[in-house]
Amino acid sequence: MKAINFSFIIPVYNRPNEIKELLNSFLNIEGQHVYEIVIIEDGSTETSEMVVKQFNNRLNIAYYSKPNSGPGDSRNYGMQKAKGNYFIILDSDVLLPPHYLNEVQQFLEASYYDCFGGPDAAHSSFSNLQKAINFAMTSFITTGGIRGGKQQVENFQPRSFNMGLSKKAFLASGGFGKIHPGEDPDLSLRLHEFGFKTTLIESAFVYHKRRVSWSKFYKQVYKFGMVRPILNQWHPNSKSIVYWFPTLFSLGFIVSIVLATFQINLVLYGYAFYFTLAFVLALILNRSLSVALQAVFAIITQFFGYGYGFLKSTFNLVILGRDPKEAFPELFF
């Protein structure tokens, strides 16, 4: 295997402050590594150009500006411009822990994969809302378990906030498609179809700020739910009963409340136990009553948002037989 030369690919849209925080985290990267940082300004009106100039003498940065065409296309643009033979794709709202690149390089040198994903975590400086949503998105008792754990290391579907992709795999696949969100699992599934293997590098985590309010979080998970039936249609081998869990969970919760009005409380007790467990786990992890309470609400928001989006999309695609781009044009660039 020839030497791995990394290029970090970072699209950005109107987020100069995030880029500044991310670049500052690069300054603390441990180890002797040669890499470049490729920043793609995706049609921003509030650009990061002046921020990038502040780091030009300390980091190897290539900065490009282009008309807005979405994150997937911007990542493809950056990979076309990059000089490395292995790309690490990051969102602008992440921070790198100092050990990050050591972990990636050591893993790939010991066991090479053409595509990898890494987890996300909450930094101690994050707001209580960010920590609560991070718990809901990553915990093994929520859809974080669906996204991938130790039992799913092989065939892991990386997410583009923290994703590695070889130049060879990029050229073979053509990179990201026009759907958003969902462009990252779509690429992962196409890579599998091309014969490339993906994996999870558990130790290569990033701190993911998740710049969301409650309304933005609901909209995000709602779109995640809408996208999954489209991916199942495009990649039939990816279908799994687990993607129905948020829908079934939400419908079951509504049924449990209805049954409780008739003094049938057993099902509701089951949900109460689950939410209590989530509260305790979030409390232990974050040592904050506020975070634990918000984590329960975040889980409910996540399941209902994803579940409704999944059910709505399935009805339109499967029952009505509609074309995804005609049914949900807002999901495509």
Side-chain angles (χ1 to χ4, degrees):
M1 184 185 72
K2 65 179 181 180
I4 302 174
N5 299 312
F6 293 106
S7 293
F8 285 89
I9 310 298
I10 308 167
V12 60
Y13 180 71
N14 290 337
R15 301 289 177 174
N17 290 336
E18 288 181 354
I19 286 296
K20 185 173 183 178
E21 292 180 336
L22 175 52
L23 293 178
N24 269 320
S25 72
F26 271 100
L27 297 177
N28 297 318
I29 289 291
E30 297 171 346
Q32 300 298 315
H33 303 285
V34 178
Y35 59 87
E36 68 168 341
I37 302 169
V38 181
I39 296 176
I40 309 95
E41 197 80 67
D42 185 25
S44 300
T45 55
E46 186 181 359
T47 75
S48 303
E49 185 175 8
M50 297 307 297
V51 170
V52 170
K53 286 183 178 179
Q54 298 173 22
F55 292 85
N56 277 338
N57 294 330
R58 293 176 287 174
L59 295 169
N60 179 22
I61 306 177
Y63 176 83
Y64 299 97
S65 182
K66 52 177 276 302
N68 180 257
S69 59
D73 187 65
S74 295
R75 297 181 193 113
N76 292 343
Y77 182 91
M79 288 186 281
Q80 291 167 354
K81 297 289 187 180
K83 298 175 182 176
N85 58 17
Y86 207 103
F87 311 129
I88 299 179
I89 300 157
L90 303 174
D91 279 354
S92 62
D93 62 346
V94 305
L95 303 174
L96 292 181
H99 69 274
Y100 179 86
L101 202 47
N102 279 340
E103 298 293 340
V104 171
Q105 183 143 14
Q106 290 170 11
F107 184 97
L108 293 178
E109 288 177 349
S111 181
Y112 185 83
Y113 284 79
D114 283 286
C115 181
F116 76 85
D120 51 341
H123 192 269
S124 59
S125 65
F126 288 3
S127 70
N128 286 347
L129 174 59
Q130 288 171 327
K131 291 176 181 177
I133 290 176
N134 181 80
F135 178 85
M137 294 289 284
T138 62
S139 175
F140 71 94
I141 66 168
T142 68
T143 57
I146 296 175
R147 291 168 66 201
K150 290 183 179 180
Q151 73 279 10
Q152 295 170 295
V153 168
E154 300 292 328
N155 300 321
F156 181 74
Q157 293 180 18
R159 297 296 186 267
S160 51
F161 62 80
N162 181 14
M163 178 180 188
L165 182 68
S166 71
K167 184 175 183 178
K168 178 182 177 181
F170 168 65
L171 293 174
S173 64
F176 295 93
K178 295 293 186 179
I179 192 170
H180 178 72
E183 71 274 17
D184 28 17
D186 171 57
L187 175 55
S188 301
L189 291 166
R190 284 190 285 113
L191 289 173
H192 294 159
E193 292 161 8
F194 279 107
F196 293 100
K197 293 183 178 180
T198 63
T199 192
L200 169 69
I201 306 180
E202 282 193 284
S203 56
F205 66 86
V206 299
Y207 298 114
H208 197 184
K209 297 189 73 172
R210 301 189 185 280
R211 50 176 184 267
V212 291
S213 61
W214 285 116
S215 61
K216 289 180 179 178
F217 178 52
Y218 176 83
K219 184 178 180 179
Q220 181 187 51
V221 294
Y222 168 69
K223 284 187 173 182
F224 287 163
M226 292 174 69
V227 160
R228 180 51 63 176
I230 299 174
L231 298 178
N232 290 345
Q233 186 180 85
W234 290 353
H235 310 282
N237 291 334
S238 70
K239 292 180 180 179
S240 173
I241 188 63
V242 298
Y243 297 125
W244 278 96
F245 286 176
T247 302
L248 298 175
F249 180 96
S250 302
L251 293 175
F253 188 47
I254 294 172
V255 169
S256 73
I257 294 174
V258 173
L259 290 175
T261 63
F262 296 97
Q263 305 301 313
I264 304 173
N265 298 316
L266 185 61
V267 180
L268 189 60
Y269 290 158
Y271 278 92
F273 173 79
Y274 173 79
F275 291 131
T276 301
L277 176 63
F279 173 83
V280 171
L281 290 175
L283 184 63
I284 293 172
L285 180 65
N286 294 280
R287 299 179 180 180
S288 166
L289 184 62
S290 174
V291 172
L293 289 170
Q294 291 185 79
V296 173
F297 186 69
I299 291 171
I300 295 172
T301 303
Q302 179 185 25
F303 277 118
F304 272 81
Y306 187 105
Y308 174 58
F310 184 89
L311 189 61
K312 179 180 178 179
S313 183
T314 298
F315 180 78
N316 276 270
L317 301 184
V318 178
I319 305 301
L320 300 182
R322 299 181 67 188
D323 178 81
K325 292 183 180 180
E326 293 179 359
F328 308 111
E330 68 274 20
L331 298 179
F332 296 88
F333 275 90

